[in-house]
Amino acid sequence: MYIFVWGVCMLKIGNVSIEKTAALAPMASVADRAYRTICKEFGACYVVGEMVSAKGLCFSPDKALDLITVTEKERPMAVQLFGGEPEYFEKALPKVLEFKPDIIDINMGCPVPKVTKNNSGCMLMKDPKLAEQIAKSVVKNSSVPVTVKIRKGWDNDSLNAVDFAKRMQDCGVSALTIHGRTKADMYSNKADWNIIAQVKKSLNIPVIANGDIISPETAKDMYDFTGADLIMVGRGSFGRPWLFKQISTYLKTGKYEEDPTVAERMEIMKKHIALICEDKGEQVGMKQARAHAIRYLYGIRDAAKYRERCSRLTSFEELLTLIDDILKNQN
Ligand SMILES: Cc1cc2nc3c(=O)[nH]c(=O)nc-3n(C[C@H](O)[C@H](O)[C@H](O)COP(=O)(O)O)c2cc1C
């Protein structure tokens, strides 16, 4: 499962080598190409794209092309599919494989009603037979390793992560990610790391642990507590892509660099937002950049005032003026 290259521990998922540090979680409408790229630059060892509908890919592939495009800078990267009908996965796969993802991930954990109502996302944990059909069909038709991302179960009365994960392993998937919450939890309550440890103990394939990693210390704790083969960070990276570097350094040395200064943070934000605009055009890009900009302001002086300005940004020029004003005010 592991190989060492120049002393660096690499996890193998199928034929894909991934450094055993911290991966970026799939996050629809947040972890787009710009976000993945900046996290990758800060050392995220693996990234998963925003979920894309297998059915949508069959009916209007052009709309989803952006979501299945993989650039060299993002590798190793998984494209994540969701859906409730094996035939749509089968039909969508050749289109996805044209873009040469390193891995195909199947979303069996999304709690959002828009997704679960179509037998997709976490609803598949309630219907393991259908989940097996989907996993088997994707494994059979994919030329790259297939992974599955699950939750702890649907709700506290149906905590079936261990049994479900074993079924997925039996279908031939190459790794499994588990987020330690139920569908009913959505994002509330603490993620249950015990269930992640149980899943890890029960499987032979690599297990990726996810939920509430927000610092280098919690990253190490997750590895130690669960014995997971890899850890995955979602919300903890909001406005802090440097967290990946801190985690990686901490895992190797037991120490990590402090957070960047405000000036450095503003440079990182500028670079991130420039990437969004490059990818999506300035008009669309700046609208999407607003939420990201707000997250970079955490803890700075007069943040509330600047947050309000972030929420009205319409051009890159305005962002530069905002950054100038912020920096003048920090000394
Ligand atoms: C805004 C947002 C979008 C998400 N989109 C996806 C998605 O597309 N696919 C998926 O499997 N999980 C998705 N998730 C769940 C995350 O991948 C992750 O499992 C969850 O946030 C828990 O990890 P964390 O505590 O590190 O944030 C999303 C989460 C958030 C907050």
Side-chain angles (χ1 to χ4, degrees):
M1 203 184 282
Y2 298 108
I3 51 165
F4 285 86
V5 182
W6 301 108
V8 176
C9 182
M10 306 290 286
L11 169 69
K12 295 285 277 185
I13 296 184
N15 59 347
V16 181
S17 299
I18 298 173
E19 193 181 349
K20 195 174 166 163
T21 53
L24 173 67
M27 288 186 286
S29 309
V30 175
D32 57 5
R33 181 161 308 107
Y35 196 100
R36 297 192 296 268
T37 304
I38 200 112
C39 289
K40 204 82 216 310
E41 283 180 16
F42 276 102
C45 60
Y46 166 57
V47 300
V48 182
E50 302 164 89
M51 63 179 166
V52 48
S53 158
K55 189 173 180 179
L57 272 170
C58 296
F59 288 105
S60 33
D62 293 349
K63 275 199 198 157
L65 285 191
D66 192 46
L67 294 173
I68 59 174
T69 300
V70 177
T71 61
E72 288 311 307
K73 281 193 274 187
E74 295 168 275
R75 294 185 188 282
M77 172 175 162
V79 167
Q80 190 190 63
L81 297 176
F82 73 92
E85 289 127 316
E87 55 274 26
Y88 290 128
F89 280 90
E90 207 171 303
K91 274 196 202 141
L93 260 182
K95 187 90 220 152
V96 178
L97 291 169
E98 273 175 34
F99 290 83
K100 301 195 175 358
D102 298 286
I103 288 174
I104 300 278
D105 187 51
I106 311 174
N107 181 327
M108 300 198 185
C110 182
V112 176
K114 205 167 74 181
V115 170
T116 56
K117 76 167 193 241
N118 295 317
N119 279 344
S120 313
C122 202
M123 186 58 106
L124 288 169
M125 292 194 74
K126 280 187 115 174
D127 191 346
K129 292 247 170 310
L130 178 59
E132 282 172 340
Q133 280 176 32
I134 290 173
K136 276 185 191 156
S137 141
V138 179
V139 168
K140 181 168 154 234
N141 292 292
S142 175
S143 52
V144 301
V146 176
T147 59
V148 168
K149 182 164 179 281
I150 67 170
R151 283 194 174 224
K152 183 178 165 182
W154 182 262
D155 59 23
N156 282 337
D157 296 326
S158 51
L159 301 179
N160 62 343
V162 171
D163 172 67
F164 192 88
K166 281 194 208 153
R167 286 169 180 258
M168 292 300 108
Q169 174 172 275
D170 292 344
C171 292
V173 309
S174 299
L176 180 126
T177 304
I178 168 159
H179 171 198
R181 287 190 174 81
T182 63
K183 183 263 168 202
D185 287 334
M186 301 293 282
Y187 292 94
S188 63
N189 303 326
K190 263 183 79 169
D192 176 358
W193 291 8
N194 281 302
I195 196 106
I196 301 177
Q198 284 170 37
V199 167
K200 166 59 196 163
K201 262 202 207 118
S202 313
L203 299 193
N204 306 314
I205 55 173
V207 170
I208 305 174
N210 170 239
D212 295 351
I213 298 169
I214 53 164
S215 62
E217 291 85 355
T218 48
K220 181 166 188 321
D221 287 348
M222 178 68 106
Y223 270 122
D224 292 346
F225 188 84
T226 63
D229 301 288
L230 191 64
I231 56 156
M232 181 175 267
V233 179
R235 293 161 298 162
S237 67
F238 282 3
R240 308 158 66 209
W242 53 85
L243 176 61
F244 290 98
K245 184 156 176 258
Q246 291 176 323
I247 292 177
S248 155
T249 311
Y250 186 65
L251 292 172
K252 286 170 194 154
T253 67
K255 294 186 218 136
Y256 58 92
E257 0 13 45
E258 285 187 0
D259 282 347
T261 61
V262 174
E264 287 164 342
R265 248 198 274 175
M266 293 301 102
E267 270 310 301
I268 296 164
M269 168 170 87
K270 191 160 81 178
K271 183 167 184 196
H272 179 172
I273 294 178
L275 282 170
I276 302 178
C277 292
E278 204 177 282
D279 218 31
K280 301 182 176 174
E282 192 177 2
Q283 204 183 3
V284 175
M286 285 311 297
K287 270 195 196 142
Q288 296 188 5
R290 292 170 186 163
H292 293 289
I294 288 170
R295 293 173 182 139
Y296 278 97
L297 302 188
Y298 181 76
I300 71 162
R301 186 179 299 155
D302 292 334
K305 179 172 95 186
Y306 298 122
R307 272 201 293 272
E308 204 274 318
R309 274 174 70 183
C310 287
S311 63
R312 286 186 280 111
L313 286 171
T314 57
S315 70
F316 198 73
E317 200 56 43
E318 278 174 30
L319 175 75
L320 297 181
T321 311
L322 172 65
I323 292 176
D324 274 349
D325 291 348
I326 289 175
L327 293 179
K328 275 187 218 139
N329 186 24
Q330 301 303 307
N331 300 317

